mmCIF file of all heavy atoms in Angstrom:
data_model
loop_
_atom_site.group_PDB
_atom_site.id
_atom_site.type_symbol
_atom_site.label_atom_id
_atom_site.label_comp_id
_atom_site.label_asym_id
_atom_site.label_seq_id
_atom_site.Cartn_x
_atom_site.Cartn_y
_atom_site.Cartn_z
ATOM 1 N N ASP A 1 8.621 25.969 -10.886
ATOM 2 C CA ASP A 1 9.826 25.630 -11.644
ATOM 3 C C ASP A 1 10.354 24.249 -11.283
ATOM 4 O O ASP A 1 11.367 23.818 -11.814
ATOM 5 C CB ASP A 1 10.917 26.676 -11.439
ATOM 6 C CG ASP A 1 11.293 26.885 -9.975
ATOM 7 O OD1 ASP A 1 10.958 26.010 -9.146
ATOM 8 O OD2 ASP A 1 11.899 27.921 -9.652
ATOM 9 N N PHE A 2 9.635 23.541 -10.375
ATOM 10 C CA PHE A 2 10.126 22.228 -9.948
ATOM 11 C C PHE A 2 9.421 21.082 -10.641
ATOM 12 O O PHE A 2 9.813 19.946 -10.504
ATOM 13 C CB PHE A 2 9.987 22.055 -8.429
ATOM 14 C CG PHE A 2 8.624 22.380 -7.887
ATOM 15 C CD1 PHE A 2 7.560 21.528 -8.044
ATOM 16 C CD2 PHE A 2 8.413 23.578 -7.203
ATOM 17 C CE1 PHE A 2 6.307 21.837 -7.533
ATOM 18 C CE2 PHE A 2 7.167 23.892 -6.688
ATOM 19 C CZ PHE A 2 6.115 23.017 -6.855
ATOM 20 N N GLY A 3 8.360 21.345 -11.390
ATOM 21 C CA GLY A 3 7.645 20.274 -12.076
ATOM 22 C C GLY A 3 7.003 19.308 -11.104
ATOM 23 O O GLY A 3 6.823 19.599 -9.927
ATOM 24 N N ALA A 4 6.647 18.141 -11.593
ATOM 25 C CA ALA A 4 6.052 17.122 -10.730
ATOM 26 C C ALA A 4 7.135 16.520 -9.853
ATOM 27 O O ALA A 4 8.223 16.226 -10.305
ATOM 28 C CB ALA A 4 5.412 16.022 -11.584
ATOM 29 N N ASN A 5 6.844 16.347 -8.571
ATOM 30 C CA ASN A 5 7.837 15.723 -7.706
ATOM 31 C C ASN A 5 7.159 15.034 -6.542
ATOM 32 O O ASN A 5 5.987 15.243 -6.266
ATOM 33 C CB ASN A 5 8.856 16.758 -7.202
ATOM 34 C CG ASN A 5 8.252 17.718 -6.198
ATOM 35 O OD1 ASN A 5 8.086 17.368 -5.049
ATOM 36 N ND2 ASN A 5 7.916 18.922 -6.623
ATOM 37 N N SER A 6 7.936 14.205 -5.853
ATOM 38 C CA SER A 6 7.371 13.329 -4.828
ATOM 39 C C SER A 6 6.986 14.047 -3.552
ATOM 40 O O SER A 6 6.458 13.429 -2.635
ATOM 41 C CB SER A 6 8.382 12.227 -4.495
ATOM 42 O OG SER A 6 9.571 12.790 -3.981
ATOM 43 N N GLU A 7 7.249 15.358 -3.442
ATOM 44 C CA GLU A 7 6.909 16.072 -2.213
ATOM 45 C C GLU A 7 5.536 16.723 -2.276
ATOM 46 O O GLU A 7 5.061 17.266 -1.292
ATOM 47 C CB GLU A 7 7.961 17.149 -1.926
ATOM 48 C CG GLU A 7 9.359 16.584 -1.711
ATOM 49 C CD GLU A 7 9.383 15.496 -0.658
ATOM 50 O OE1 GLU A 7 8.792 15.679 0.422
ATOM 51 O OE2 GLU A 7 9.986 14.442 -0.910
ATOM 52 N N THR A 8 4.894 16.727 -3.435
ATOM 53 C CA THR A 8 3.575 17.341 -3.509
ATOM 54 C C THR A 8 2.569 16.465 -2.795
ATOM 55 O O THR A 8 2.664 15.244 -2.776
ATOM 56 C CB THR A 8 3.139 17.544 -4.968
ATOM 57 O OG1 THR A 8 3.147 16.282 -5.618
ATOM 58 C CG2 THR A 8 4.077 18.500 -5.693
ATOM 59 N N THR A 9 1.540 17.095 -2.221
ATOM 60 C CA THR A 9 0.613 16.326 -1.394
ATOM 61 C C THR A 9 -0.214 15.346 -2.196
ATOM 62 O O THR A 9 -0.630 14.318 -1.674
ATOM 63 C CB THR A 9 -0.329 17.251 -0.605
ATOM 64 O OG1 THR A 9 -0.854 18.248 -1.488
ATOM 65 C CG2 THR A 9 0.366 17.888 0.552
ATOM 66 N N ILE A 10 -0.484 15.638 -3.483
ATOM 67 C CA ILE A 10 -1.249 14.678 -4.266
ATOM 68 C C ILE A 10 -0.472 13.373 -4.382
ATOM 69 O O ILE A 10 -1.032 12.292 -4.264
ATOM 70 C CB ILE A 10 -1.608 15.244 -5.659
ATOM 71 C CG1 ILE A 10 -2.468 14.259 -6.446
ATOM 72 C CG2 ILE A 10 -0.377 15.621 -6.458
ATOM 73 C CD1 ILE A 10 -3.813 14.009 -5.851
ATOM 74 N N TYR A 11 0.848 13.443 -4.570
ATOM 75 C CA TYR A 11 1.692 12.258 -4.653
ATOM 76 C C TYR A 11 1.721 11.555 -3.298
ATOM 77 O O TYR A 11 1.521 10.340 -3.211
ATOM 78 C CB TYR A 11 3.102 12.664 -5.081
ATOM 79 C CG TYR A 11 4.055 11.494 -5.252
ATOM 80 C CD1 TYR A 11 4.359 11.015 -6.518
ATOM 81 C CD2 TYR A 11 4.648 10.883 -4.163
ATOM 82 C CE1 TYR A 11 5.233 9.951 -6.690
ATOM 83 C CE2 TYR A 11 5.512 9.819 -4.319
ATOM 84 C CZ TYR A 11 5.801 9.359 -5.592
ATOM 85 O OH TYR A 11 6.655 8.303 -5.741
ATOM 86 N N ALA A 12 1.944 12.326 -2.243
ATOM 87 C CA ALA A 12 2.089 11.724 -0.914
ATOM 88 C C ALA A 12 0.811 11.024 -0.479
ATOM 89 O O ALA A 12 0.843 9.933 0.091
ATOM 90 C CB ALA A 12 2.473 12.797 0.099
ATOM 91 N N ARG A 13 -0.343 11.655 -0.746
ATOM 92 C CA ARG A 13 -1.602 11.052 -0.304
ATOM 93 C C ARG A 13 -1.914 9.797 -1.096
ATOM 94 O O ARG A 13 -2.351 8.783 -0.546
ATOM 95 C CB ARG A 13 -2.747 12.063 -0.437
ATOM 96 C CG ARG A 13 -4.063 11.533 0.122
ATOM 97 C CD ARG A 13 -5.053 12.667 0.321
ATOM 98 N NE ARG A 13 -5.441 13.271 -0.947
ATOM 99 C CZ ARG A 13 -6.410 12.790 -1.731
ATOM 100 N NH1 ARG A 13 -7.034 11.672 -1.401
ATOM 101 N NH2 ARG A 13 -6.746 13.404 -2.845
ATOM 102 N N ARG A 14 -1.707 9.851 -2.408
ATOM 103 C CA ARG A 14 -1.947 8.667 -3.232
ATOM 104 C C ARG A 14 -1.000 7.541 -2.822
ATOM 105 O O ARG A 14 -1.390 6.378 -2.791
ATOM 106 C CB ARG A 14 -1.741 8.997 -4.704
ATOM 107 C CG ARG A 14 -2.676 10.055 -5.270
ATOM 108 C CD ARG A 14 -4.127 9.679 -5.116
ATOM 109 N NE ARG A 14 -4.974 10.552 -5.906
ATOM 110 C CZ ARG A 14 -6.199 10.880 -5.579
ATOM 111 N NH1 ARG A 14 -6.726 10.432 -4.450
ATOM 112 N NH2 ARG A 14 -6.931 11.649 -6.361
ATOM 113 N N ARG A 15 0.248 7.880 -2.519
ATOM 114 C CA ARG A 15 1.220 6.859 -2.118
ATOM 115 C C ARG A 15 0.794 6.204 -0.809
ATOM 116 O O ARG A 15 0.945 4.997 -0.626
ATOM 117 C CB ARG A 15 2.604 7.486 -1.981
ATOM 118 C CG ARG A 15 3.709 6.467 -1.798
ATOM 119 C CD ARG A 15 5.059 7.144 -1.760
ATOM 120 N NE ARG A 15 5.167 8.039 -0.610
ATOM 121 C CZ ARG A 15 6.193 8.848 -0.403
ATOM 122 N NH1 ARG A 15 7.185 8.900 -1.282
ATOM 123 N NH2 ARG A 15 6.233 9.617 0.650
ATOM 124 N N LEU A 16 0.253 6.986 0.112
ATOM 125 C CA LEU A 16 -0.249 6.432 1.362
ATOM 126 C C LEU A 16 -1.394 5.463 1.089
ATOM 127 O O LEU A 16 -1.476 4.385 1.696
ATOM 128 C CB LEU A 16 -0.723 7.556 2.281
ATOM 129 C CG LEU A 16 -1.311 7.123 3.630
ATOM 130 C CD1 LEU A 16 -0.270 6.359 4.444
ATOM 131 C CD2 LEU A 16 -1.808 8.338 4.410
ATOM 132 N N ASP A 17 -2.285 5.839 0.155
ATOM 133 C CA ASP A 17 -3.362 4.930 -0.235
ATOM 134 C C ASP A 17 -2.800 3.602 -0.712
ATOM 135 O O ASP A 17 -3.308 2.531 -0.363
ATOM 136 C CB ASP A 17 -4.217 5.554 -1.350
ATOM 137 C CG ASP A 17 -5.043 6.724 -0.862
ATOM 138 O OD1 ASP A 17 -5.273 6.823 0.358
ATOM 139 O OD2 ASP A 17 -5.457 7.541 -1.708
ATOM 140 N N LEU A 18 -1.749 3.667 -1.518
ATOM 141 C CA LEU A 18 -1.161 2.444 -2.057
ATOM 142 C C LEU A 18 -0.475 1.627 -0.970
ATOM 143 O O LEU A 18 -0.552 0.396 -0.967
ATOM 144 C CB LEU A 18 -0.163 2.784 -3.162
ATOM 145 C CG LEU A 18 -0.741 3.423 -4.427
ATOM 146 C CD1 LEU A 18 0.366 3.650 -5.440
ATOM 147 C CD2 LEU A 18 -1.829 2.562 -5.031
ATOM 148 N N ASP A 19 0.207 2.296 -0.050
ATOM 149 C CA ASP A 19 0.847 1.585 1.057
ATOM 150 C C ASP A 19 -0.187 0.820 1.882
ATOM 151 O O ASP A 19 0.029 -0.325 2.270
ATOM 152 C CB ASP A 19 1.595 2.577 1.956
ATOM 153 C CG ASP A 19 2.908 3.045 1.341
ATOM 154 O OD1 ASP A 19 3.421 2.336 0.457
ATOM 155 O OD2 ASP A 19 3.400 4.112 1.744
ATOM 156 N N GLU A 20 -1.316 1.477 2.150
ATOM 157 C CA GLU A 20 -2.368 0.830 2.926
ATOM 158 C C GLU A 20 -2.952 -0.358 2.166
ATOM 159 O O GLU A 20 -3.235 -1.410 2.738
ATOM 160 C CB GLU A 20 -3.459 1.844 3.256
ATOM 161 C CG GLU A 20 -3.001 2.921 4.239
ATOM 162 C CD GLU A 20 -4.057 3.983 4.454
ATOM 163 O OE1 GLU A 20 -5.055 3.994 3.693
ATOM 164 O OE2 GLU A 20 -3.889 4.807 5.372
ATOM 165 N N ARG A 21 -3.121 -0.178 0.861
ATOM 166 C CA ARG A 21 -3.669 -1.267 0.038
ATOM 167 C C ARG A 21 -2.731 -2.463 0.045
ATOM 168 O O ARG A 21 -3.158 -3.615 0.203
ATOM 169 C CB ARG A 21 -3.886 -0.765 -1.387
ATOM 170 C CG ARG A 21 -4.278 -1.840 -2.386
ATOM 171 C CD ARG A 21 -4.486 -1.222 -3.763
ATOM 172 N NE ARG A 21 -4.779 -2.220 -4.756
ATOM 173 C CZ ARG A 21 -3.861 -2.854 -5.471
ATOM 174 N NH1 ARG A 21 -2.582 -2.604 -5.255
ATOM 175 N NH2 ARG A 21 -4.213 -3.743 -6.389
ATOM 176 N N MET A 22 -1.423 -2.209 -0.138
ATOM 177 C CA MET A 22 -0.466 -3.307 -0.189
ATOM 178 C C MET A 22 -0.317 -3.983 1.167
ATOM 179 O O MET A 22 -0.132 -5.195 1.247
ATOM 180 C CB MET A 22 0.881 -2.796 -0.701
ATOM 181 C CG MET A 22 0.860 -2.530 -2.203
ATOM 182 S SD MET A 22 2.479 -2.119 -2.909
ATOM 183 C CE MET A 22 2.605 -0.419 -2.390
ATOM 184 N N ALA A 23 -0.439 -3.208 2.246
ATOM 185 C CA ALA A 23 -0.381 -3.800 3.580
ATOM 186 C C ALA A 23 -1.562 -4.748 3.789
ATOM 187 O O ALA A 23 -1.422 -5.830 4.353
ATOM 188 C CB ALA A 23 -0.392 -2.702 4.645
ATOM 189 N N LEU A 24 -2.737 -4.336 3.281
ATOM 190 C CA LEU A 24 -3.919 -5.187 3.391
ATOM 191 C C LEU A 24 -3.739 -6.462 2.576
ATOM 192 O O LEU A 24 -4.072 -7.563 3.041
ATOM 193 C CB LEU A 24 -5.156 -4.416 2.899
ATOM 194 C CG LEU A 24 -6.476 -5.205 2.910
ATOM 195 C CD1 LEU A 24 -6.822 -5.660 4.324
ATOM 196 C CD2 LEU A 24 -7.597 -4.355 2.333
ATOM 197 N N LEU A 25 -3.179 -6.325 1.372
ATOM 198 C CA LEU A 25 -2.940 -7.505 0.544
ATOM 199 C C LEU A 25 -1.939 -8.445 1.206
ATOM 200 O O LEU A 25 -2.086 -9.667 1.144
ATOM 201 C CB LEU A 25 -2.427 -7.079 -0.827
ATOM 202 C CG LEU A 25 -3.445 -6.354 -1.728
ATOM 203 C CD1 LEU A 25 -2.768 -5.921 -3.030
ATOM 204 C CD2 LEU A 25 -4.642 -7.244 -2.023
ATOM 205 N N ASP A 26 -0.911 -7.887 1.856
ATOM 206 C CA ASP A 26 0.070 -8.712 2.569
ATOM 207 C C ASP A 26 -0.599 -9.480 3.701
ATOM 208 O O ASP A 26 -0.318 -10.671 3.918
ATOM 209 C CB ASP A 26 1.183 -7.828 3.132
ATOM 210 C CG ASP A 26 2.129 -7.327 2.046
ATOM 211 O OD1 ASP A 26 2.119 -7.914 0.947
ATOM 212 O OD2 ASP A 26 2.854 -6.349 2.303
ATOM 213 N N GLU A 27 -1.492 -8.797 4.441
ATOM 214 C CA GLU A 27 -2.211 -9.456 5.531
ATOM 215 C C GLU A 27 -3.071 -10.597 4.996
ATOM 216 O O GLU A 27 -3.127 -11.684 5.581
ATOM 217 C CB GLU A 27 -3.084 -8.443 6.262
ATOM 218 C CG GLU A 27 -2.301 -7.419 7.073
ATOM 219 C CD GLU A 27 -3.209 -6.401 7.731
ATOM 220 O OE1 GLU A 27 -4.445 -6.567 7.623
ATOM 221 O OE2 GLU A 27 -2.694 -5.459 8.349
ATOM 222 N N GLN A 28 -3.745 -10.339 3.859
ATOM 223 C CA GLN A 28 -4.585 -11.386 3.271
ATOM 224 C C GLN A 28 -3.749 -12.562 2.798
ATOM 225 O O GLN A 28 -4.143 -13.718 2.946
ATOM 226 C CB GLN A 28 -5.383 -10.788 2.100
ATOM 227 C CG GLN A 28 -6.428 -9.764 2.545
ATOM 228 C CD GLN A 28 -7.092 -9.078 1.361
ATOM 229 O OE1 GLN A 28 -6.592 -9.117 0.237
ATOM 230 N NE2 GLN A 28 -8.219 -8.453 1.604
ATOM 231 N N ASP A 29 -2.551 -12.254 2.237
ATOM 232 C CA ASP A 29 -1.671 -13.308 1.759
ATOM 233 C C ASP A 29 -1.188 -14.170 2.922
ATOM 234 O O ASP A 29 -1.171 -15.400 2.836
ATOM 235 C CB ASP A 29 -0.476 -12.680 1.032
ATOM 236 C CG ASP A 29 0.414 -13.731 0.400
ATOM 237 O OD1 ASP A 29 -0.103 -14.581 -0.345
ATOM 238 O OD2 ASP A 29 1.637 -13.701 0.664
ATOM 239 N N VAL A 30 -0.823 -13.532 4.038
ATOM 240 C CA VAL A 30 -0.377 -14.279 5.223
ATOM 241 C C VAL A 30 -1.524 -15.134 5.758
ATOM 242 O O VAL A 30 -1.329 -16.303 6.125
ATOM 243 C CB VAL A 30 0.118 -13.298 6.307
ATOM 244 C CG1 VAL A 30 0.337 -14.040 7.635
ATOM 245 C CG2 VAL A 30 1.403 -12.616 5.871
ATOM 246 N N ALA A 31 -2.731 -14.559 5.784
ATOM 247 C CA ALA A 31 -3.890 -15.305 6.292
ATOM 248 C C ALA A 31 -4.175 -16.519 5.406
ATOM 249 O O ALA A 31 -4.485 -17.613 5.905
ATOM 250 C CB ALA A 31 -5.107 -14.384 6.351
ATOM 251 N N ASN A 32 -4.071 -16.342 4.093
ATOM 252 C CA ASN A 32 -4.321 -17.452 3.172
ATOM 253 C C ASN A 32 -3.280 -18.556 3.346
ATOM 254 O O ASN A 32 -3.612 -19.754 3.324
ATOM 255 C CB ASN A 32 -4.306 -16.951 1.723
ATOM 256 C CG ASN A 32 -5.515 -16.079 1.403
ATOM 257 O OD1 ASN A 32 -6.549 -16.190 2.056
ATOM 258 N ND2 ASN A 32 -5.385 -15.217 0.409
ATOM 259 N N LYS A 33 -2.011 -18.151 3.508
ATOM 260 C CA LYS A 33 -0.960 -19.152 3.704
ATOM 261 C C LYS A 33 -1.170 -19.896 5.020
ATOM 262 O O LYS A 33 -0.922 -21.101 5.115
ATOM 263 C CB LYS A 33 0.410 -18.471 3.696
ATOM 264 C CG LYS A 33 0.835 -17.990 2.321
ATOM 265 C CD LYS A 33 2.184 -17.301 2.363
ATOM 266 C CE LYS A 33 2.608 -16.840 0.971
ATOM 267 N NZ LYS A 33 3.904 -16.110 0.988
ATOM 268 N N ARG A 34 -1.650 -19.168 6.057
ATOM 269 C CA ARG A 34 -1.901 -19.801 7.350
ATOM 270 C C ARG A 34 -3.006 -20.851 7.216
ATOM 271 O O ARG A 34 -2.933 -21.940 7.792
ATOM 272 C CB ARG A 34 -2.281 -18.748 8.372
ATOM 273 C CG ARG A 34 -2.430 -19.311 9.797
ATOM 274 C CD ARG A 34 -2.791 -18.233 10.794
ATOM 275 N NE ARG A 34 -1.719 -17.240 10.906
ATOM 276 C CZ ARG A 34 -1.852 -15.953 10.604
ATOM 277 N NH1 ARG A 34 -3.015 -15.503 10.143
ATOM 278 N NH2 ARG A 34 -0.839 -15.116 10.717
ATOM 279 N N LYS A 35 -4.054 -20.534 6.424
ATOM 280 C CA LYS A 35 -5.136 -21.484 6.212
ATOM 281 C C LYS A 35 -4.629 -22.732 5.513
ATOM 282 O O LYS A 35 -5.028 -23.854 5.833
ATOM 283 C CB LYS A 35 -6.245 -20.824 5.392
ATOM 284 C CG LYS A 35 -7.029 -19.767 6.154
ATOM 285 C CD LYS A 35 -8.112 -19.144 5.283
ATOM 286 C CE LYS A 35 -8.885 -18.081 6.040
ATOM 287 N NZ LYS A 35 -9.925 -17.443 5.185
ATOM 288 N N ILE A 36 -3.733 -22.532 4.515
ATOM 289 C CA ILE A 36 -3.203 -23.689 3.789
ATOM 290 C C ILE A 36 -2.386 -24.581 4.722
ATOM 291 O O ILE A 36 -2.503 -25.812 4.707
ATOM 292 C CB ILE A 36 -2.319 -23.196 2.614
ATOM 293 C CG1 ILE A 36 -3.197 -22.521 1.571
ATOM 294 C CG2 ILE A 36 -1.539 -24.358 2.001
ATOM 295 C CD1 ILE A 36 -2.415 -21.862 0.443
ATOM 296 N N ILE A 37 -1.585 -23.965 5.586
ATOM 297 C CA ILE A 37 -0.779 -24.726 6.550
ATOM 298 C C ILE A 37 -1.688 -25.499 7.498
ATOM 299 O O ILE A 37 -1.431 -26.671 7.811
ATOM 300 C CB ILE A 37 0.148 -23.776 7.337
ATOM 301 C CG1 ILE A 37 1.215 -23.194 6.390
ATOM 302 C CG2 ILE A 37 0.807 -24.500 8.516
ATOM 303 C CD1 ILE A 37 2.059 -22.126 7.026
ATOM 304 N N GLU A 38 -2.760 -24.851 7.944
ATOM 305 C CA GLU A 38 -3.684 -25.512 8.863
ATOM 306 C C GLU A 38 -4.349 -26.700 8.196
ATOM 307 O O GLU A 38 -4.519 -27.767 8.797
ATOM 308 C CB GLU A 38 -4.744 -24.503 9.341
ATOM 309 C CG GLU A 38 -4.180 -23.437 10.279
ATOM 310 C CD GLU A 38 -5.222 -22.392 10.630
ATOM 311 O OE1 GLU A 38 -6.316 -22.423 10.033
ATOM 312 O OE2 GLU A 38 -4.938 -21.549 11.513
#
């Protein structure tokens, strides 16, 4: 009776995947900016 919601494990696991992906992209962005500064 609760429908789709953010507490289901399919949502939580997919969200973790996205968090990890974005963290990796942030690291790559910082590394690229560091190369440009160098």
Side-chain angles (χ1 to χ4, degrees):
D1 57 17
F2 50 76
N5 71 78
S6 62
E7 298 307 313
T8 58
T9 47
I10 183 65
Y11 182 102
R13 185 164 65 84
R14 298 302 192 211
R15 190 176 63 186
L16 179 61
D17 290 339
L18 295 182
D19 284 339
E20 292 175 349
R21 172 179 176 271
M22 286 187 282
L24 178 60
L25 291 177
D26 286 343
E27 290 178 5
Q28 292 174 343
D29 185 52
V30 169
N32 290 336
K33 288 179 179 178
R34 186 179 296 118
K35 289 180 181 179
I36 292 174
I37 292 173
E38 290 175 352

